[in-house]
């Protein structure tokens, strides 16, 4: 009985149109790459085609979709639980902390144990994120810009420490793999951890209303009988897990967690029940586009997705600041 | 009934509430008046469990606000704070619908939706219902927030300076609506009001605070006297009967 469809509000067909667009692009992306794979060859049952699809192209596509979705939703949640549009896992040291965790795991458990890497990455991401929030609560002057600046500095310090130890242990090359997101190494058996990020994202949807309420502030949340601290902590764990899993499997993807949620909420408002599915879709779309672009620009060579997203994301972010600055709380 | 017993609150060395005891009977409009820093807002915050008391107890219909589960209390008591600027962009209807959260947990039933529309109509927000809050004037936004509180459908409604940022016309309209909320829905409305004359014209009971204590409580007629007001505000205030209301004159 929705008698009042609202303008600017997400309607079912918007989501459906986005999903169709994503599906078309996704299907197309399967046939972009150095190995010769065509729809005709696939249907004709050419030997090797199916194997290429199942071993490489499909895993890569899934990794792109999962990472894009989870990263952007993590940004959306972070933005709400900190009440600041410029706070995202990439401006709070979360990604850097996760990379530090991967370094620790590599130093002490060798490079092969993926589960150890993940546990360490999640642990460090949690510590780093909660430490940042602890700093945040002690800041007396909580300016819209100051908070993410503090986060970026904090991330810088952790990044510097990581680089130092990686340099001493002759691991700088591996460090590059964790800090610069790249899907070219994704094969079957090497991306499946991302399903954890996908599952956590889906769980986040169950909390959508609570995250929205938390975004309205502690007083609002308490009035509505929502346990503010528990919701914030749940959100932080969600963000840390997603960020860490993405860092371990494909590396950090910059800007997505900052730009996508801001673009979507600028258009749709901050009600997560509507904004979260749209953010998930838009995040997947952006990362897929950037990955395919990175594969095509210097074909047959590849440009890492983090580089492409860095360029596209910074342009989008600047446009966002120039056009939506007032609505984002900047005067 | 709201029962406040020996409530104390300190911020560092400063005692903001000094053993406040007060009973607010169900029904009607109660205004809390007093000078700046008298502890009015803090008292309201303690009663609505936004701020924990350092000592003493507050019970709402026998439920201790410090220990009762938050969601249970949220179905009995709603509070609107002074600072209602949201960084979150929601439409008016979305905001009002969140008033149903304590009841529905986010899954709105048909009955919930009817209540949302009723609250929107009650505050004449129909034309604005799909606008985002940041596109509204201060007065419209204030109305949307009070509509959310109404939609929360609680027996007790606490408001901290609901007239903040409102011009004269909107202040009068807001007070009339709050008055009608108490009359039409049988709610107990408790609010902090700065202007004694608004308190006088629209409330049944007035509570006066000074330096963290309740110094006087009574019906509007009992409280709107030069003696009481002079003691509360340390200011010479003449009281005149105009159009059936007692009006304090203190401007010169």
């Amino acid at each position: 009985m929705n008698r009042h469809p609202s303008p600017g509000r997400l309607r079912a067909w918007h989501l459906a149109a986005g999903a169709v667009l994503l599906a078309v692009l996704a299907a197309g992306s399967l046939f972009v790459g150095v190995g010769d794979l065509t729809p005709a060859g696939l249907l004709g049952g050419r030997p090797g085609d199916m194997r290429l699809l199942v071993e490489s192209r499909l895993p890569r596509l899934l990794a792109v979709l999962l990472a894009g979705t989870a990263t952007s939703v993590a940004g959306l949640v972070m933005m709400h639980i900190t009440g600041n549009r410029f706070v995202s896992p990439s401006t709070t040291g979360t990604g850097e902390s996760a990379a530090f965790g991967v370094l620790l795991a590599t130093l002490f458990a060798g490079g092969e144990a993926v589960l150890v890497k993940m546990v360490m990455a999640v642990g460090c991401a949690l510590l780093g994120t909660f430490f940042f929030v602890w700093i945040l609560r002690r800041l007396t002057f909580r300016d819209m810009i100051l908070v993410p600046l503090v986060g970026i500095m904090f991330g810088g310090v952790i990044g510097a420490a990581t680089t130092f130890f990686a340099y001493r242990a002759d691991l700088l090359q591996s460090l590059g793999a964790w800090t610069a997101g790249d899907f070219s190494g994704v094969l079957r058996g090497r991306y499946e951890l991302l399903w954890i990020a996908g599952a956590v994202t889906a769980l986040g949807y169950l909390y959508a209303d609570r995250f929205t309420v938390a975004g309205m502030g502690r007083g609002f949340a308490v009035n509505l009988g929502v346990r503010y601290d528990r919701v914030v902590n749940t959100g932080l764990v969600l963000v840390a897990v997603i960020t860490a899993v993405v860092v371990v499997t494909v590396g950090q993807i910059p800007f997505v967690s900052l730009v996508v949620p801001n673009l979507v909420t600028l258009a749709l408002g901050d009600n997560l029940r509507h904004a979260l599915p749209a953010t998930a879709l838009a995040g997947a779309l952006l990362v897929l586009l950037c990955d395919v672009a990175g594969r095509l620009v210097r074909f047959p060579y590849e440009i890492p997705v983090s580089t492409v997203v860095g360029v596209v994301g910074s342009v989008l972010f600047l446009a966002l600041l120039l056009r939506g600055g007032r609505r984002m709380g900047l005067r | 009934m709201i029962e406040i017993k020996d409530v104390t609150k300190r911020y560092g060395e400063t005692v903001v509430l000094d053993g406040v005891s007060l009973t607010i009977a169900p029904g009607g409009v109660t205004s809390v008046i007093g000078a700046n820093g008298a502890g009015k807002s803090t008292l309201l915050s303690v009663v609505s469990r936004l701020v924990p008391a350092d000592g003493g107890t507050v019970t709402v219909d026998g439920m201790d606000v410090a220990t009762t589960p938050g969601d249970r209390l949220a179905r009995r008591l709603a509070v609107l704070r002074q600072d209602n600027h949201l960084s979150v962009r929601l439409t008016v209807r979305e905001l009002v619908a969140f008033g149903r959260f304590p009841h529905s947990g986010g899954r709105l039933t048909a009955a919930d939706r009817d209540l949302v529309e009723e609250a929107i109509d009650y505050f004449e927000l129909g034309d604005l219902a799909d606008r985002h809050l940041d596109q509204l004037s201060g007065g419209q936004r204030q109305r949307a927030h009070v509509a959310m509180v109404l939609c929360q459908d609680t027996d007790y409604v606490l408001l901290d300076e609901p007239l903040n940022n409102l011009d004269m016309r909107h202040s009068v309209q807001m007070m009339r609506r709050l008055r009608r909320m108490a009359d039409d829905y049988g709610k107990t409305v408790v609010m902090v009001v700065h202007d004694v004359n608004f308190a006088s014209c629209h409330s049944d009971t007035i509570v006066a605070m000074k330096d963290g204590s309740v110094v006087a409580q009574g019906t509007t007629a009992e409280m709107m006297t030069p003696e009481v007001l002079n003691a509360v505000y340390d200011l010479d205030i003449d009281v005149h009967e105009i159009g059936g209301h007692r009006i304090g004159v203190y401007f010169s």
Side-chain angles (χ1 to χ4, degrees):
Chain A
M1 57 162 275
N2 198 350
R3 287 169 294 162
H4 305 270
S6 19
R9 168 89 72 82
L10 185 72
R11 302 212 189 97
W13 74 267
H14 285 137
L15 263 187
V20 169
L21 180 67
L22 182 64
V24 170
L25 274 167
S29 81
L30 291 174
F31 303 102
V32 176
V34 179
D36 187 25
L37 182 70
T38 57
L42 204 59
L43 289 174
R46 240 178 54 186
D49 274 16
M50 197 42 125
R51 205 171 139 251
L52 183 57
L53 183 74
V54 173
E55 295 290 329
S56 165
R57 298 287 168 79
L58 206 54
R60 179 169 190 159
L61 173 62
L62 288 172
V64 165
L65 297 181
L66 286 168
T69 299
T71 306
S72 46
V73 169
L76 182 70
V77 170
M78 194 73 175
M79 181 170 125
H80 276 85
I81 57 182
T82 57
N84 188 316
R85 294 187 183 279
F86 300 105
V87 171
S88 83
S90 51
T91 58
T92 53
T94 307
E96 285 82 356
S97 304
F100 186 70
V102 182
L103 175 79
L104 287 183
T106 311
L107 282 177
F108 297 112
E112 290 311 303
V114 179
L115 271 181
V116 179
K117 271 194 206 169
M118 198 192 81
V119 170
M120 289 300 283
V122 170
C124 285
L126 280 173
L127 277 178
T129 312
F130 275 91
F131 183 69
F132 172 75
V133 171
W134 182 80
I135 298 176
L136 192 65
R137 290 197 178 137
R138 261 144 202 80
L139 281 180
T140 43
F141 182 62
R142 284 205 216 169
D143 182 74
M144 200 73 172
I145 297 302
L146 183 77
V147 169
L149 274 182
V150 169
I152 291 169
M153 283 193 288
F154 173 57
V157 171
I158 301 211
T162 311
T163 310
F164 173 74
F165 288 114
Y167 176 73
R168 295 297 291 262
D170 205 12
L171 283 170
L172 277 181
Q173 276 206 314
S174 315
L175 182 65
W178 313 320
T179 48
D182 185 6
F183 290 100
S184 62
V186 172
L187 293 172
R188 193 159 72 96
R190 291 180 63 177
Y191 81 99
E192 281 76 358
L193 281 178
L194 280 172
W195 285 109
I196 297 175
V200 172
T201 306
L203 283 179
Y205 186 66
L206 298 180
Y207 255 68
D209 282 325
R210 285 178 177 78
F211 290 139
T212 312
V213 172
M216 294 195 250
R218 181 189 289 273
F220 253 86
V222 171
N223 173 45
L224 291 178
V226 169
R227 290 196 232 175
Y228 180 78
D229 289 316
R230 209 167 87 172
V231 172
V232 168
N233 290 339
T234 306
L236 290 176
V237 170
L238 178 146
V239 167
V241 170
I242 288 177
T243 309
V245 168
V246 172
V247 166
V248 169
T249 45
V250 294
Q252 284 182 63
I253 308 175
F255 278 113
V256 171
S257 58
L258 187 63
V259 174
V260 175
N262 271 306
L263 280 174
V264 170
T265 53
L266 210 55
L268 297 178
D270 283 315
N271 192 349
L272 257 63
R273 197 160 270 270
H274 307 294
L276 198 144
T279 301
L281 198 63
L285 208 56
L286 177 67
V287 175
L288 180 63
L289 278 173
C290 289
D291 185 51
V292 171
R295 284 192 253 173
L296 290 175
V297 170
R298 291 177 62 216
F299 192 84
Y301 303 104
E302 279 202 24
I303 297 174
V305 73
S306 54
T307 310
V308 183
V309 168
V311 173
V312 176
S314 52
V315 171
L316 280 175
F317 188 59
L318 275 178
L320 197 67
L321 285 182
L322 293 174
R323 298 210 40 210
R326 198 188 62 78
R327 284 206 228 160
M328 291 167 75
L330 297 171
R331 302 279 153 179
Chain B
M1 186 159 66
I2 299 176
E3 284 184 288
I4 301 163
K5 275 194 201 127
D6 291 328
V7 165
T8 309
K9 180 72 195 175
R10 283 180 216 90
Y11 288 117
E13 294 291 294
T14 321
V15 178
V16 188
L17 293 177
D18 189 7
V20 172
S21 292
L22 179 66
T23 302
I24 297 171
V29 176
T30 299
S31 291
V32 182
I33 63 168
N36 291 335
K40 313 180 294 287
S41 292
T42 307
L43 181 67
L44 211 68
S45 296
V46 169
V47 171
S48 53
R49 74 196 175 308
L50 300 178
V51 166
D54 294 326
T57 56
V58 177
T59 57
V60 175
D61 286 345
M63 296 187 291
D64 188 331
V65 298
T67 54
T68 306
D71 53 341
R72 209 174 133 209
L73 214 50
R75 291 191 286 270
R76 196 64 73 90
L77 175 142
V79 60
L80 183 64
R81 293 195 308 166
Q82 200 176 70
D83 169 33
N84 62 24
H85 176 76
L86 289 180
S87 57
V88 168
R89 287 181 70 234
L90 295 175
T91 65
V92 171
R93 179 174 284 113
E94 284 172 337
L95 177 75
V96 175
F98 269 110
R100 298 308 300 160
F101 192 84
H103 304 270
S104 65
R107 297 231 158 269
L108 295 187
T109 63
D112 287 326
R113 284 180 200 282
D114 288 344
L115 281 170
V116 171
E117 297 307 322
E118 189 183 330
I120 286 172
D121 290 341
Y122 196 82
F123 283 90
E124 289 164 32
L125 289 161
D127 297 337
L128 305 170
D130 294 317
R131 297 262 289 275
H132 278 123
L133 292 171
D134 56 356
Q135 299 168 318
L136 305 184
S137 71
Q140 292 167 335
R141 203 178 305 144
Q142 182 78 338
R143 243 156 67 204
H145 279 90
V146 182
M148 184 195 96
V149 167
L150 173 67
C151 198
Q152 203 173 330
D153 196 22
T154 53
D155 295 338
Y156 297 90
V157 176
L158 276 49
L159 305 118
D160 194 355
E161 293 194 29
L163 306 183
N164 211 11
N165 296 325
L166 297 187
D167 61 21
M168 288 187 288
R169 189 170 73 90
H170 286 107
S171 295
V172 173
Q173 284 179 350
M174 178 60 74
M175 290 303 273
R176 284 184 188 152
R177 285 203 180 89
L178 294 174
R179 176 76 246 174
R180 274 174 47 209
M181 261 169 74
D183 297 340
D184 295 354
Y185 293 92
K187 294 186 184 307
T188 309
V189 176
V190 181
M191 59 186 152
V192 171
V193 185
H194 252 297
D195 188 328
V196 280
N197 293 327
F198 274 119
S200 169
C201 292
H202 298 276
S203 39
D204 304 302
T205 313
I206 293 178
V207 173
M209 291 187 70
K210 190 179 183 182
D211 300 331
S213 302
V214 171
V215 289
Q217 180 188 10
T219 63
T220 303
E222 289 164 358
M223 296 290 286
M224 287 300 290
T225 64
E227 295 72 32
V228 173
L229 294 181
N230 291 359
V232 172
Y233 288 101
D234 289 328
L235 187 69
D236 288 327
I237 301 178
D238 286 335
V239 177
H240 299 274
E241 181 107 8
I242 302 173
H245 294 293
R246 286 168 185 252
I247 302 297
V249 179
Y250 53 90
F251 298 101
S252 52

